[in-house]
Amino acid sequence: MKSDKMSQYPDKAITVVPTDKLIFWSSAIFLPLSLLVVIDSIFISLAMGIGIGFCLLNILDVFLSRSKLNLVQVVLPEVLRLSKDKPRTYKLLVSNEGQPLSFLKVDFHFPDGLTTPDKDKILKELKEGHRYSLNWMVEGRVLGQYDIKSCYLETISMGGFWSVHARRD
């Protein structure tokens, strides 16, 4: 996250969380299938085939999406120097060297003493090999220099069933 270098982050920093879309489609598929099986046992093989196919599709979606944030780099100033109660805007650079992303949510855990009107920023349609610039306004409650220790990134999987999260220290 330092301004002098941009590095790739390992896959182990990635977490995947189910979205509402996955929960909806799971219930929309499995509830009617379970009713068909209760009505007549002849539908067991059909229900199992559809259920296994849906599960395999989601497993494939997870494995293909885990690497989406590996080649996204975030660069910001090493230290934020702020005066008390005077807002200041800092430039944040986001580089996407990996696959295109439909959206990217960027969030920071700001240290005590800093406030910001924006909890997070969202970039839409990130293309491969492009750099993007975000202006982030922060205000210090106390005069001082602040280090930003971690950055949080979030995007959506290819199928839209999973939310992919990464924390960068």
Side-chain angles (χ1 to χ4, degrees), residues 92-161:
L92 173 78
L93 296 174
V94 177
S95 175
N96 182 23
E97 299 301 324
Q99 53 191 298
L101 303 174
S102 58
F103 89 97
L104 177 71
K105 183 171 147 183
V106 182
D107 190 9
F108 290 97
H109 176 71
F110 288 107
D112 293 337
L114 286 182
T115 59
T116 180
D118 303 316
K119 181 185 177 334
D120 51 42
K121 298 273 188 175
I122 295 178
L123 290 167
K124 295 188 184 229
E125 302 299 327
L126 277 81
K127 296 182 178 142
E128 180 181 351
H130 284 73
R131 288 185 177 212
Y132 301 88
S133 176
L134 290 172
N135 291 323
W136 208 302
M137 187 169 64
V138 292
E139 183 176 331
R141 287 185 247 146
V142 179
L143 175 72
Q145 297 181 2
Y146 300 91
D147 292 330
I148 304 298
K149 302 258 188 246
S150 58
C151 169
Y152 303 94
L153 304 174
E154 178 183 343
T155 192
I156 199 83
S157 70
M158 293 176 205
F161 294 119

Side-chain angles (χ1 to χ4, degrees), residues 1 13 29 31 54 71 75 86-87 104 113 122 128 136 148 151 160 164:
M1 240 174 52
I29 290 172
L31 287 176
F54 182 72
L71 296 175
V75 180
K86 291 188 180 176
L104 177 71
I122 295 178
E128 180 181 351
W136 208 302
I148 304 298
C151 169
V164 183

